[in-house]
Amino acid sequence: MKLPRAFALLIAMLVAVAAFAPPRTALADDEPKQAELPRRQANFAWDKNDKTQQVLLRASFSYRDVIDKSMADKLASGLPTVIAMRAYVLREGEESPVALAVRTCRVVFDLWDEVYRLKISSPGGERDSAALNLEGVLRQCAEARDLPVADKSLLTAGKPHFLGVIVEVNPVGPQMLAQMRQWVSRPAGSTGIGPGDALFGSFVGLFVRQLGNADRTLRFRTQPVTP
């Protein structure tokens, strides 16, 4: 069956427009999902305080690979270096984190005494330490051990939760570090966050769209844990 000439011309024009149309703008559904984050194993444990009856979720995991060869050389140069870690507690499939645990470590190599001077900020406050070599720095500054990440009351029973972790070497801006230092001054387990809190963000904003200018950045998630 022969098409009318006008109709045939209209089809030809539509095909031409489609061929030269710009690519479709990515929709929210096109964003990388939580499951697509690199996975890293963590050890979870529940810790009950018999006096207060508070039950804390604690986590242990490593992020030593944030210090590569170039970062190791920089650590040994004597210039101050900050390793900052944020561990967000998220429910599987939900965008907004429910809690945040923060840990920072400032490293300065003392060229005179040939020792690394460390200032570690973690839940419970700040402390000064030292390390004789790079291994000691990594052990104290690039591992989370029994880190209190959330009070059990913040978590939803029967639903899987996971940690979304961001590690940065020398995060840009003193404001960010000031916010992190203020955050770790909270009592252990007081990690619940809301839209008005510092360092808050959605999963997409923190792990997909956020472009940092740190010297080095790691982003990963852990396996789920279900209260």
Side-chain angles (χ1 to χ4, degrees), residues 64-202:
R64 287 178 167 228
D65 48 324
V66 77
I67 302 299
D68 58 9
K69 177 63 167 61
S70 63
M71 287 295 101
D73 292 341
K74 190 168 186 176
L75 285 175
S77 70
L79 295 174
T81 299
V82 176
I83 304 170
M85 186 279 297
R86 287 174 280 162
Y88 291 89
V89 182
L90 296 109
R91 296 187 189 94
E92 289 279 9
E94 295 188 15
E95 286 292 308
S96 298
V98 297
L100 167 64
V102 170
R103 195 171 189 273
T104 68
C105 185
R106 185 177 185 269
V107 185
V108 179
F109 185 64
D110 188 327
L111 297 172
W112 182 261
D113 291 333
E114 296 187 340
V115 66
Y116 293 93
R117 306 292 181 188
L118 313 176
K119 181 175 286 293
I120 301 168
S121 299
S122 59
E126 289 188 343
R127 64 182 178 89
D128 293 323
S129 185
L132 298 177
N133 50 36
L134 179 61
E135 172 61 26
V137 174
L138 295 176
R139 186 171 60 251
Q140 296 188 66
C141 297
E143 293 181 1
R145 285 178 293 206
D146 293 326
L147 179 73
V149 293
D151 190 294
K152 191 176 181 180
S153 63
L154 296 172
L155 311 180
T156 303
K159 289 194 174 182
H161 300 66
F162 69 94
L163 297 184
V165 180
I166 301 173
V167 186
E168 294 175 308
V169 179
N170 292 329
V172 174
Q175 183 178 5
M176 168 67 79
L177 290 176
Q179 289 175 342
M180 296 179 79
R181 282 196 297 269
Q182 183 179 5
W183 196 266
V184 298
S185 67
R186 297 181 172 200
S190 301
T191 57
I193 55 179
D197 284 323
L199 307 176
F200 177 81
S202 68

Side-chain angles (χ1 to χ4, degrees), residues 171-227:
V172 174
Q175 183 178 5
M176 168 67 79
L177 290 176
Q179 289 175 342
M180 296 179 79
R181 282 196 297 269
Q182 183 179 5
W183 196 266
V184 298
S185 67
R186 297 181 172 200
S190 301
T191 57
I193 55 179
D197 284 323
L199 307 176
F200 177 81
S202 68
F203 171 81
V204 171
L206 291 167
F207 292 91
V208 180
R209 293 177 182 161
Q210 189 182 73
L211 297 176
N213 292 315
D215 289 348
R216 185 164 165 77
T217 302
L218 286 180
R219 287 186 176 91
F220 59 88
R221 61 156 291 172
T222 68
Q223 81 278 16
V225 57
T226 302

